[in-house]
Amino acid sequence: MDLRAALAAHRLVAVVRGSDPEAALRTVLTLADEGIELIEVSLTTERALTVIERARKALGPGRPLGAGTVLTADDARAAHRAGADFAVTPGLGEGMSTARELGLPVLAGVMTPTEIIGVRALGAEGLKIFPAAQAGGPGYLKALRGPFPHEVFVPVGGVDETAARAYLAAGATAVGIGSPLVGDAADGGSADALRARARAFRTAVQEATR
């Protein structure tokens, strides 16, 4: 898949992480049903690979599905076998390099300019600023865009609706949203509440990109 194009087109990556595999699967399918096109299942989710496998079958081959928290070479290989279309890492490491060897595009975690240069040299399609809130929020992203005006930045960590608008206004290609969007749905929480949050975030992203 063309991850750079997908991030630019959809501008939101939902990050699913939970303790209940069945609830996590329902969460992925509910988000997809609500029009969230880019979904990442963190490998810290209980039985995450099974969730990815089942979601892949349910969604079909045309919907992008990512594996997150890809730390090791074994993580990357397992995610690839499970049917993930892209990998997301919290930083540099074997997970990133192996994912690239397997043909998976990577959204790689960075915080500093030095890390940005290193990750781009290794072929990452996107740069996940993580943890974004602790790094300095939208102001930090705006500062990074000075020396790196053409990079695909995706802030992740503490991104609520207000922050999503601010990051996109500051030049983010997309935003990654975990608990402010997913809430407790992947632990067995309300699907109706998840749908309402998904619609609110889609509206926020659409309004920020007009």
Side-chain angles (χ1 to χ4, degrees), residues 2 6 24-25 28-29 37 41-42 46 50 58 64 68 80 88 108 135 138 169 186 188 191 201 208:
D2 186 339
L25 176 62
V28 172
L29 300 183
E37 295 292 335
V41 178
S42 171
E46 186 70 23
T50 299
H80 184 254
V88 184
F201 270 102

Side-chain angles (χ1 to χ4, degrees), residues 15 157-161 176-183 193-194 197-198 201:
V15 183
V159 182
D160 58 15
E161 290 176 50
I177 306 171
S179 57
L181 167 58
V182 173
L194 174 64
R197 290 191 297 271
F201 270 102

Side-chain angles (χ1 to χ4, degrees), residues 6-173:
L7 291 168
H10 303 301
R11 313 211 69 183
L12 189 160
V13 182
V15 183
V16 176
R17 179 184 292 107
S19 60
D20 183 333
E22 293 296 329
L25 176 62
R26 289 194 301 271
T27 298
V28 172
L29 300 183
T30 298
L31 289 169
D33 188 55
E34 288 297 329
I36 305 297
E37 295 292 335
L38 294 174
I39 302 171
E40 163 200 340
V41 178
S42 171
L43 294 185
T44 59
T45 296
E46 186 70 23
R47 296 176 60 196
L49 296 171
T50 299
V51 173
I52 293 171
E53 288 174 355
R54 293 177 65 189
R56 172 83 292 149
K57 291 177 182 177
L59 295 172
R63 294 294 290 267
L65 183 63
T69 323
V70 175
L71 299 175
T72 67
D74 286 343
D75 287 342
R77 295 187 192 104
H80 184 254
R81 287 194 299 270
D85 297 298
F86 62 96
V88 184
T89 76
L92 286 165
E94 289 185 353
M96 176 188 169
S97 56
T98 302
R100 295 292 296 126
E101 290 169 6
L102 293 168
L104 291 177
V106 178
L107 176 59
V110 298
M111 185 178 283
T112 68
T114 298
E115 290 170 347
I116 291 169
I117 293 168
V119 163
R120 286 295 291 124
L122 293 172
E125 281 76 8
L127 305 173
K128 167 185 168 180
I129 302 177
F130 175 80
Q134 289 78 6
Y140 185 60
L141 168 64
K142 186 174 181 180
L144 286 177
R145 289 197 62 79
F148 304 106
H150 306 299
E151 296 298 345
V152 174
F153 286 115
V154 183
V156 181
V159 182
D160 58 15
E161 290 176 50
T162 299
R165 290 185 174 94
Y167 281 120
L168 293 169
T173 300

